[in-house]
Amino acid sequence: MKYNIMTVLSDNYLVFGKLFINSLFENIDYSNINKILIVDTGLSEDSKEYLLDFPKVNIIPTEDQVNSNKIHDSGWERKTYSKSTYLLDFIENNDEFCPTILFDSDVIFYRDFFDILDNSHHKDSDVIACERNQIGRTPGHAATSTHIGCFICI
C-alpha cells in the first residue's frame, strides 16, 4: 500500500525539516510513498526550492505565514494546533484518497515504519503510541510523558 507523508513546516523549523526530509530518503523505502506533502506556514523561496529537489515533494500553500520567535508563543501555538486541520482539509478536498500520515516536522526517520501500519496486530487500532526515550533528558524538562503520538494516519 502507498501512503502520503505530510508535515507542516516554516523556516523557523527548517533545520528540523532538512533532517526530516533527508532521513526520510536515506532510511525509508520510498516506493511505499505516494506523495510527500509539506504544508507551508512560512517557507522562503530558497527553502521551497531545497525541498522540491526531492522526488515526490509537493508544497501546499497556506495563509498562515505568522513567524514564531520562541516555543509556545502565539505563532508556535497557531502552527502546532492547526496541523490536524491541514490534514483534514487535504483529505476532504482531494479527489483521489490515499492514506495520509501527518508527522511532526522534528521527526527523524531511522528505519522504515510501514510494517507498523500494515501489521495485523494494529489493523483495528485507533492509536499506536510510541515510547519516549528519557535518556539524556535534562532533569525537569517540560516533556515528561512516557509515550508520544508523533504521527496521525487517516
Side-chain angles (χ1 to χ4, degrees):
M1 175 178 290
K2 288 193 177 243
Y3 295 88
N4 290 329
I5 304 291
M6 177 183 272
T7 195
V8 177
L9 191 59
S10 69
D11 276 351
N12 291 21
Y13 262 63
L14 187 61
V15 169
F16 296 111
K18 287 181 176 182
L19 290 169
F20 178 98
I21 198 79
N22 282 292
S23 67
L24 182 68
F25 280 96
E26 288 173 9
N27 299 314
I28 303 299
D29 177 5
Y30 63 91
S31 68
N32 292 319
I33 298 173
N34 180 48
K35 293 179 185 175
I36 300 167
L37 307 161
I38 299 177
V39 179
D40 173 8
T41 59
L43 291 169
S44 68
E45 290 305 315
D46 286 345
S47 299
K48 291 179 204 175
E49 283 180 33
Y50 175 85
L51 295 164
L52 288 168
D53 276 343
F54 290 87
K56 304 185 181 192
V57 169
N58 294 268
I59 305 288
I60 300 174
T62 70
E63 299 298 317
D64 182 5
Q65 301 296 306
V66 175
N67 278 330
S68 172
N69 297 317
K70 63 180 185 172
I71 193 166
H72 296 210
D73 70 4
S74 61
W76 180 89
E77 286 180 350
R78 182 171 162 179
K79 291 175 191 323
T80 300
Y81 302 141
S82 63
K83 292 186 291 188
S84 57
T85 302
Y86 293 130
L87 174 61
L88 183 59
D89 286 348
F90 176 77
I91 296 296
E92 288 179 339
N93 294 306
N94 198 346
D95 292 334
E96 295 179 24
F97 178 78
C98 180
T100 302
I101 310 164
L102 172 66
F103 284 95
D104 290 347
S105 61
D106 57 359
V107 165
I108 296 174
F109 300 94
Y110 71 93
R111 74 167 187 86
D112 212 330
F113 61 88
F114 293 109
D115 60 315
I116 296 169
L117 299 175
D118 294 332
N119 188 311
S120 62
H121 296 294
H122 300 131
K123 69 180 172 109
D124 295 324
S125 300
D126 291 328
V127 175
I128 302 171
C130 302
E131 188 171 4
R132 176 179 261 177
N133 188 335
Q134 300 297 322
I135 296 172
R137 289 236 182 244
T138 305
H141 189 278
T144 57
S145 61
T146 58
H147 291 76
I148 187 168
C150 58
F151 67 87
I152 300 168
C153 183
I154 294 180

